[in-house]
Amino acid sequence: MTDKKMMRAMVPVMFCFFAMGFVDLVGIASNYVKADMHLSDSQANIFPSLVFLWFLVFSVPTGVLMNRIGRKNTVMLSLLVTIVSLFIPLTGEGIVTMAVSFCLLGIGNAIMQTSLNPLVSSFVTGRYLASTLTFGQFIKAIASFLAPYIAMWGATASVPLLGWRVLFAIYFIVGLLAALLLGFTRVEESPADSTADEGGGKGLFGQYVECFRLLSRSVVVLCFIAILCHVGIDVGANVTAPKILMERLGIPLNSAAFATSLYFIFRTLGCFTGAVLLRRMDHKLFFLISAGLMALSMAGLMLGSSPAVLYASIAAVGLGNSNIFSLVMSRALLAVPDRQNAVSGLMIMGLFGGTIFPLIMGFMSDMMGQAGAVAVMAAGTLYLIIYGVTIKTK
């Protein structure tokens, strides 16, 4: 693909990355649903679980689906499911309505995250793949960052009939635009996985087996666990940061909630910085610096008691964790170039770490306070450092 064609394809692809960020609206949306319907915390927490569950269910099947219908068509399918999920809350606001919406949002996002990264690899290769995926994560982070502010604007401005749900209307329009742009863009895709039909009579089941056999390769299983830890730390930091401030500084939740915004600010900044640096800097060195920054932040969150140390630590974990996903994903895709669809499915299945880590952190914090929760994230960070040492430089 020529540079001109590549740039033309990048515009709709980046719109798709923005649409990928819609999934993060579940955090602010679940809070408003809780208030509107007078739900308990345990009831409201069901909504985020309805999103992350589908990464475990749909990631690998999506890798198989890409072999049948192609990467672009799979991304188009994900956009369609996402658009429907955003339209449903505009028709009503009952608990069943919102539950169906969040389920479809999770399914669409699982399909999109599995298919969009290999689609990018169809026209960006080599060392530029990591920086391109990182820039995509930067675009995604913008959608995540804007969601709470759009919802708050809708709620305070008393938008007729919609209120805070104007968030769904705005993202519905952007999702339609992303689908139209990608639909009219010609993309020269890489061929289907070379072993897509391996096994003759095994058929669809055979493809599933061949997909999971990839975990027998050391580089694939190392990358899978790294994704698991990255997402676990990402979700865990968002959940735990305000609680740490409340425990150590004795401040109320309304004040401590700034910790989440601080994390997202530095995560977004890190994605933008990484998109530039990864084109020039050795990937192994960059990864180890990122993991080292996260290790320092864990020490600060574990032992810190002053506002300066705690805020700096929250910013550091956001900055350090911002490029881990792109570096791991690009390494996995490039390590098995003839099985990229299946590899992507396995890597995105690792996003289920966003469910596993918070559960373990909750048990640990009940026993040891928030230091116990930090200890779980620190264990994930230690693995990332060990993983970083295994990266081979060229």
Side-chain angles (χ1 to χ4, degrees):
M1 182 178 287
T2 64
D3 290 343
K4 186 176 181 179
K5 288 183 178 179
M6 184 176 71
M7 291 304 298
R8 197 176 298 162
M10 284 292 289
V11 174
V13 165
M14 289 304 148
F15 264 90
C16 292
F17 270 106
F18 189 87
M20 189 189 290
F22 294 172
V23 71
D24 290 325
L25 67 80
V26 68
I28 188 66
S30 60
N31 286 321
Y32 278 106
V33 171
K34 175 188 173 184
D36 290 348
M37 302 181 188
H38 308 289
L39 304 177
S40 65
D41 283 335
S42 59
Q43 290 172 324
N45 285 347
I46 292 174
F47 292 109
S49 299
L50 290 176
V51 172
F52 280 103
L53 170 67
W54 304 111
F55 289 103
L56 180 65
V57 176
F58 277 92
S59 299
V60 171
T62 299
V64 175
L65 180 66
M66 279 190 287
N67 291 325
R68 299 295 181 91
I69 68 174
R71 296 170 181 176
K72 177 185 171 181
N73 288 336
T74 308
V75 175
M76 290 294 294
L77 174 63
S78 73
L79 287 170
L80 175 62
V81 176
T82 300
I83 290 168
V84 172
S85 75
L86 296 169
F87 179 75
I88 289 175
L90 305 181
T91 65
E93 52 183 339
I95 190 168
V96 174
T97 298
M98 299 307 299
V100 171
S101 171
F102 285 2
C103 281
L104 289 176
L105 185 64
I107 292 170
N109 203 261
I111 298 172
M112 189 182 302
Q113 296 225 35
T114 304
S115 56
L116 188 55
N117 294 301
L119 182 64
V120 173
S121 71
S122 294
F123 54 88
V124 180
T125 58
R127 64 178 294 103
Y128 293 116
L129 180 58
S131 61
T132 303
L133 293 180
T134 293
F135 186 72
Q137 291 297 310
F138 166 69
I139 299 298
K140 173 181 178 289
I142 294 175
S144 305
F145 179 75
L146 289 177
Y149 294 99
I150 296 174
M152 285 187 286
W153 168 76
T156 56
S158 299
V159 177
L161 302 178
L162 292 178
W164 68 270
R165 287 180 296 126
V166 71
L167 169 64
F168 289 91
I170 293 174
Y171 279 1
F172 171 79
I173 294 171
V174 178
L176 277 176
L177 180 59
L180 289 172
L181 286 173
L182 183 62
F184 286 104
T185 300
R186 184 177 179 181
V187 179
E188 298 173 5
E189 297 188 31
S190 302
D193 286 356
S194 63
T195 54
D197 295 317
E198 190 176 273
K202 293 180 180 179
L204 189 61
F205 178 75
Q207 292 185 45
Y208 274 79
V209 172
E210 292 300 325
C211 180
F212 281 103
R213 277 182 181 170
L214 288 171
L215 291 174
S216 64
R217 303 192 186 192
S218 59
V219 65
V220 175
V221 72
L222 287 172
C223 289
F224 175 80
I225 299 173
I227 292 286
L228 200 75
C229 292
H230 154 72
V231 178
I233 294 168
D234 183 47
V235 177
N238 276 311
V239 172
T240 305
K243 296 177 183 178
I244 292 174
L245 296 184
M246 294 167 65
E247 179 183 87
R248 307 279 175 79
L249 304 180
I251 60 178
L253 176 59
N254 286 339
S255 300
F258 171 70
T260 300
S261 297
L262 181 67
Y263 176 84
F264 270 118
I265 288 170
F266 276 87
R267 197 177 187 283
T268 305
L269 178 63
C271 287
F272 179 77
T273 305
V276 177
L277 293 179
L278 284 172
R279 289 181 174 269
R280 300 173 175 83
M281 194 171 178
D282 177 74
H283 287 186
K284 179 174 183 175
L285 176 60
F286 190 93
F287 189 98
L288 289 173
I289 290 174
S290 299
L293 190 61
M294 292 168 65
L296 289 174
S297 74
M298 293 302 146
L301 292 174
M302 180 74 74
L303 305 172
S305 57
S306 68
V309 171
L310 293 175
Y311 283 124
S313 299
I314 293 168
V317 68
L319 192 63
N321 205 27
S322 57
N323 297 290
I324 298 297
F325 177 85
S326 300
L327 285 163
V328 176
M329 175 63 86
S330 63
R331 185 190 182 199
L333 292 175
L334 295 174
V336 194
D338 60 331
R339 300 297 310 280
Q340 289 188 341
N341 293 347
V343 168
S344 180
L346 288 172
M347 293 304 108
I348 299 303
M349 191 172 69
L351 296 185
F352 192 63
T355 297
I356 297 172
F357 266 64
L359 288 175
I360 300 174
M361 290 168 64
F363 286 118
M364 291 295 291
S365 62
D366 286 343
M367 293 187 293
M368 303 171 54
Q370 296 309 316
V374 175
V376 177
M377 292 192 291
T381 301
L382 176 61
Y383 174 81
L384 291 177
I385 292 174
I386 296 172
Y387 166 86
V389 174
T390 71
I391 296 175
K392 295 180 180 179
T393 56
K394 294 182 180 180

